Amino acid sequence: MDQYDDCWLRYDSPADGDRLDAYRRRCVHAYVSEGAPELAAVRDELRRAVPSLLGRDPHLWQHPPRTVDGFLAVGTPDEMAMVAESVPVDEVERFADGGYLLRSVEWEGMDCLVVTAASDRGLVYGTFHLLRLLSTGEPVDDLDVREEPAYANRVIDQWDTPFHRSVERGYGGESIFDWERLPDLRPRYEDYARLLASVGVNGIVLNNVNTEKPPRASANPAFDAFEGWQLLEPRRLEALTGLAALFRRYGIETYLSVNFAAPMLLGDCDTADPLDDEVRAWWERKAEEVYDLIPDFGGFLVKADSEGQPGPYDYGRDHAEGANAIAAALAPHGGRVFWRAFVYGSHDDRSVQAYETFDPLDGAFADNVTVQVKNGPIDFQPREPVSTLFGSMPKTDLALELQVTGEYTGQGVHAAYHHPMWTEVFEFDTHADGAGTPVKSLFGGDGEGVVGVGSVGEDRSWTGTHLAQSNLYAFGRAAWDPDRSTGTVTDEWVRQTFGTDGEVVDTVAGILRDSWAACVDYTTGGLGLMHMMHNGEELLENHYEPSPGEWPGYHGMTDDGVGVDRSAYAAQYPDPVADRYASVDDCPEELLLFFHHLPWEHELADGTTVVQRLYDNCFAGVEEAKRLRERWNSLDGRVDDRRHRHVAERFDEQVASAERWRDSLTATFYDYSGVADERGRVPAGDGAGSA
Ligand code: GCU
């Protein structure tokens, strides 16, 4: 990846001496089965990785080599007798799709490593797992690793706007997809597929959920005429086949976002009513056309009835009727509709709306519909309570939607690592089926899964700052196994990305571990306030700068108090969660002002007032951002100059931005409350609040 960073697939060799000898004995010679496209990806990856990791060119064999000390075998037991003789075949065949086994064996006197799986996709994952071990210097002499994905669907949603090449909420440059040149393929597509497959992602939605109206004007007016729904035109679909085939080699299925009104926009229907026969027939014909071109096509993603997108409400239909009409067209082909729960409802408080819309529809969705739910009820804020839809729709396939990109967490500039936030979401006990029903247990079915809103772009770093690559890595690892701890995932990422020097690993891992909490403190004050950013239409400031005066409904600041009474939202949870959030005394402090409007001088458990805690947290967040920067700066000379400098410059902006947030928020708190900061840090009278 010369023009851009290798991210965590650098394959720098940390091993030497006996360890390197052991690697070479087992991995320089590789017997890899042939046939499926995924096996070509395996061979290519070995060709890339082995020279760099082991200092030798790999020998790829079509039969088990017999004149060597050992070798690596990659194949299913069905295809390779040597593998079938070396592993518990029954167990391997029972693996969930994507599961794999890695085992050190002795075979005919040779030291071998076997990577096997029931599916070809599993062989890709197993190979990447092995390369991860080699990249991080782990022993391979006595391996017996069994891995199965916790979730069947692990999907990345690109919010890339075709032709326009912008990425909505993307902070790593314009879209990597050069739509105009398709079907020509760029090497970068393959490298992206490798990055995704290496962490177990098995689906990609290529285009933005907003299929109408590009969000920003581009330099080229010709592209502004293009709208995402046009991707369903026959010639556009034909242009996608090569890209879909490329992703297929890495076990990744291709999906498209579609516009609910496509039968009118593209066809000659005069309605998009989901119960209209002609509309249903149009979707059927379109699905046939798509599957003729892309036989393993995953399905459609739909954003309906929010932010200007059309939907079933336009025809007096509900969301199950809307989703089921499209799902019926995909069903004969094995395709699936991911239907977003991000829908506007009638309640004044946005948090209440998704549940009010979807909970009554539990059981009404077709088998091949997945309702895709953002982790929280508002919109990917730095911290939100968990969406009440988790646990309330047992008869519906669900997907958890997370934001990999940092729309509200510093936008590819700040170091803000999302894995700790996601762990909080996965582990949250919904009590949906009594105590011990964490979110992570609620979408393990075949039609369920975890979806991440993508973050990559054309920049060398892919993600804006090199540190933000960790969020893409962590997404895949968490969607594969939500039980893997933040420490383990982070450590893996750092060692592959920055090498195995202990000080570098500890420092970078520590920065990431502490970064999210700092961001929560300086952008919210840490008590559950949120959505205090600037909205503006301008590209750079949108949702980045503080502007607490713009959205009073979200934070509820008044002269006599702060926070929002969200008892209606709290009541959507089962007991005892509902009771806990409804009670000022029991509500966890970090969400207190999300659920309650309280006097500024309400005393918290330790006697500190609400307003003082808000001041303290904003200041603490900035101090932490400064410490993160110092820790990064201490690595000067230990991390290559190019990446070190790039991240160091981002840290300077992060600290400056954190100070702007602190100053804006604390001044606003002061303006509304009139209560001085006990420590004298908040100057009087220059805030942006009500005053
Ligand atoms: C947020 C985001 C939008 C996006 C929307 C969505 O509101 O700011 O850019 O379109 O979420 O999830 O669809």
Side-chain angles (χ1 to χ4, degrees), residues 441-465:
S441 68
L442 294 169
F443 35 87
D446 285 350
E448 302 188 289
V450 186
V451 174
V453 176
S455 58
V456 304
E458 195 65 7
D459 286 2
R460 175 179 272 272
S461 69
W462 296 81
T463 49
T465 164

CSV table of all heavy atoms in Angstrom, one decimal, residues 441-465:
chain,number,residue,atom,x,y,z
A,441,SER,N,-26.5,-10.1,24.0
A,441,SER,CA,-27.2,-11.4,23.9
A,441,SER,C,-28.4,-11.4,23.0
A,441,SER,O,-29.1,-12.3,22.8
A,441,SER,CB,-27.6,-12.0,25.3
A,441,SER,OG,-28.6,-11.2,25.8
A,442,LEU,N,-28.7,-10.2,22.5
A,442,LEU,CA,-30.0,-10.0,21.9
A,442,LEU,C,-30.1,-10.0,20.3
A,442,LEU,O,-31.1,-9.8,19.8
A,442,LEU,CB,-30.6,-8.6,22.4
A,442,LEU,CG,-30.9,-8.6,23.9
A,442,LEU,CD1,-31.2,-7.2,24.4
A,442,LEU,CD2,-32.1,-9.6,24.2
A,443,PHE,N,-28.9,-10.2,19.7
A,443,PHE,CA,-29.0,-10.3,18.2
A,443,PHE,C,-28.0,-11.3,17.6
A,443,PHE,O,-27.3,-11.0,16.7
A,443,PHE,CB,-28.7,-8.9,17.6
A,443,PHE,CG,-27.8,-8.0,18.4
A,443,PHE,CD1,-26.4,-8.1,18.1
A,443,PHE,CD2,-28.2,-7.2,19.3
A,443,PHE,CE1,-25.5,-7.4,18.8
A,443,PHE,CE2,-27.3,-6.4,20.1
A,443,PHE,CZ,-25.9,-6.5,19.8
A,444,GLY,N,-28.1,-12.5,18.2
A,444,GLY,CA,-27.2,-13.6,17.8
A,444,GLY,C,-27.8,-14.5,16.7
A,444,GLY,O,-27.2,-15.5,16.3
A,445,GLY,N,-29.0,-14.2,16.2
A,445,GLY,CA,-29.6,-15.1,15.2
A,445,GLY,C,-29.0,-14.9,13.8
A,445,GLY,O,-28.2,-14.0,13.6
A,446,ASP,N,-29.4,-15.8,12.9
A,446,ASP,CA,-28.8,-15.8,11.6
A,446,ASP,C,-29.0,-14.5,10.8
A,446,ASP,O,-28.2,-14.1,10.0
A,446,ASP,CB,-29.4,-16.9,10.7
A,446,ASP,CG,-28.8,-18.3,11.1
A,446,ASP,OD1,-27.9,-18.3,11.9
A,446,ASP,OD2,-29.4,-19.3,10.7
A,447,GLY,N,-30.2,-13.8,11.1
A,447,GLY,CA,-30.5,-12.6,10.4
A,447,GLY,C,-30.1,-11.4,11.1
A,447,GLY,O,-30.5,-10.3,10.8
A,448,GLU,N,-29.3,-11.6,12.2
A,448,GLU,CA,-29.0,-10.4,13.1
A,448,GLU,C,-27.5,-10.1,13.0
A,448,GLU,O,-26.7,-10.7,12.3
A,448,GLU,CB,-29.4,-10.8,14.5
A,448,GLU,CG,-30.9,-11.1,14.5
A,448,GLU,CD,-31.4,-11.3,15.9
A,448,GLU,OE1,-31.1,-12.4,16.6
A,448,GLU,OE2,-32.2,-10.5,16.4
A,449,GLY,N,-27.1,-9.1,13.7
A,449,GLY,CA,-25.7,-8.7,13.7
A,449,GLY,C,-25.3,-7.3,14.2
A,449,GLY,O,-26.1,-6.7,14.8
A,450,VAL,N,-24.2,-6.9,13.8
A,450,VAL,CA,-23.6,-5.6,14.2
A,450,VAL,C,-23.2,-4.9,12.9
A,450,VAL,O,-22.5,-5.4,12.1
A,450,VAL,CB,-22.4,-5.8,15.1
A,450,VAL,CG1,-22.0,-4.5,15.7
A,450,VAL,CG2,-22.8,-6.7,16.3
A,451,VAL,N,-23.5,-3.6,12.9
A,451,VAL,CA,-23.3,-2.8,11.7
A,451,VAL,C,-22.4,-1.6,12.2
A,451,VAL,O,-22.7,-1.0,13.2
A,451,VAL,CB,-24.6,-2.3,11.1
A,451,VAL,CG1,-24.3,-1.3,10.0
A,451,VAL,CG2,-25.4,-3.5,10.6
A,452,GLY,N,-21.4,-1.2,11.4
A,452,GLY,CA,-20.6,0.0,11.7
A,452,GLY,C,-20.7,1.0,10.6
A,452,GLY,O,-20.5,0.6,9.4
A,453,VAL,N,-20.9,2.2,11.0
A,453,VAL,CA,-20.9,3.3,10.0
A,453,VAL,C,-19.4,3.6,9.7
A,453,VAL,O,-18.7,4.0,10.6
A,453,VAL,CB,-21.7,4.5,10.4
A,453,VAL,CG1,-21.5,5.7,9.4
A,453,VAL,CG2,-23.1,4.2,10.7
A,454,GLY,N,-19.1,3.4,8.4
A,454,GLY,CA,-17.6,3.4,8.1
A,454,GLY,C,-16.9,4.7,8.2
A,454,GLY,O,-17.5,5.8,8.6
A,455,SER,N,-15.6,4.7,8.1
A,455,SER,CA,-14.8,5.8,8.4
A,455,SER,C,-13.7,6.1,7.5
A,455,SER,O,-13.0,7.1,7.6
A,455,SER,CB,-14.2,5.6,9.8
A,455,SER,OG,-13.4,4.4,9.8
A,456,VAL,N,-13.6,5.3,6.4
A,456,VAL,CA,-12.3,5.5,5.6
A,456,VAL,C,-12.5,6.4,4.5
A,456,VAL,O,-13.7,6.7,4.0
A,456,VAL,CB,-11.8,4.1,5.1
A,456,VAL,CG1,-11.6,3.1,6.2
A,456,VAL,CG2,-12.7,3.6,4.0
A,457,GLY,N,-11.4,7.0,4.0
A,457,GLY,CA,-11.4,7.8,2.8
A,457,GLY,C,-10.1,7.8,2.2
A,457,GLY,O,-9.2,7.0,2.5
A,458,GLU,N,-9.9,8.7,1.2
A,458,GLU,CA,-8.7,8.6,0.3
A,458,GLU,C,-7.4,9.1,1.0
A,458,GLU,O,-6.4,8.9,0.4
A,458,GLU,CB,-9.1,9.6,-0.8
A,458,GLU,CG,-8.3,9.4,-2.1
A,458,GLU,CD,-8.4,8.1,-2.8
A,458,GLU,OE1,-9.2,7.2,-2.4
A,458,GLU,OE2,-7.6,7.9,-3.7
A,459,ASP,N,-7.5,9.6,2.2
A,459,ASP,CA,-6.2,10.1,2.8
A,459,ASP,C,-5.2,8.9,3.0
A,459,ASP,O,-5.6,7.8,3.2
A,459,ASP,CB,-6.5,10.7,4.2
A,459,ASP,CG,-7.1,12.0,4.2
A,459,ASP,OD1,-7.4,12.5,3.1
A,459,ASP,OD2,-7.4,12.6,5.2
A,460,ARG,N,-4.0,9.3,3.1
A,460,ARG,CA,-3.0,8.3,3.4
A,460,ARG,C,-3.3,7.5,4.6
A,460,ARG,O,-3.1,6.3,4.7
A,460,ARG,CB,-1.6,9.0,3.5
A,460,ARG,CG,-0.5,8.0,3.9
A,460,ARG,CD,0.8,8.8,4.0
A,460,ARG,NE,1.5,8.8,2.8
A,460,ARG,CZ,2.4,7.8,2.3
A,460,ARG,NH1,2.6,6.8,3.1
A,460,ARG,NH2,2.9,7.9,1.2
A,461,SER,N,-3.8,8.2,5.7
A,461,SER,CA,-4.1,7.5,6.9
A,461,SER,C,-5.4,6.7,6.9
A,461,SER,O,-5.7,6.0,7.8
A,461,SER,CB,-4.2,8.5,8.0
A,461,SER,OG,-5.3,9.3,7.9
A,462,TRP,N,-6.2,6.8,5.9
A,462,TRP,CA,-7.5,6.2,5.7
A,462,TRP,C,-8.6,6.9,6.6
A,462,TRP,O,-9.7,7.1,6.1
A,462,TRP,CB,-7.6,4.7,6.0
A,462,TRP,CG,-6.8,3.8,5.2
A,462,TRP,CD1,-5.4,3.6,5.3
A,462,TRP,CD2,-7.2,3.0,4.1
A,462,TRP,NE1,-5.0,2.6,4.3
A,462,TRP,CE2,-6.1,2.3,3.6
A,462,TRP,CE3,-8.5,2.8,3.5
A,462,TRP,CZ2,-6.2,1.4,2.5
A,462,TRP,CZ3,-8.6,1.9,2.5
A,462,TRP,CH2,-7.5,1.2,2.0
A,463,THR,N,-8.2,7.3,7.8
A,463,THR,CA,-9.2,7.7,8.8
A,463,THR,C,-9.0,9.1,9.3
A,463,THR,O,-9.7,9.4,10.3
A,463,THR,CB,-9.3,6.7,10.0
A,463,THR,OG1,-7.9,6.5,10.4
A,463,THR,CG2,-9.9,5.3,9.6
A,464,GLY,N,-8.1,9.9,8.7
A,464,GLY,CA,-7.9,11.2,9.2
A,464,GLY,C,-6.8,11.3,10.2
A,464,GLY,O,-5.8,12.0,10.0
A,465,THR,N,-6.8,10.6,11.3
A,465,THR,CA,-5.6,10.4,12.1
A,465,THR,C,-5.3,8.9,12.2
A,465,THR,O,-6.2,8.1,12.2
A,465,THR,CB,-5.8,11.0,13.5
A,465,THR,OG1,-4.8,10.5,14.4
A,465,THR,CG2,-7.1,10.6,14.1
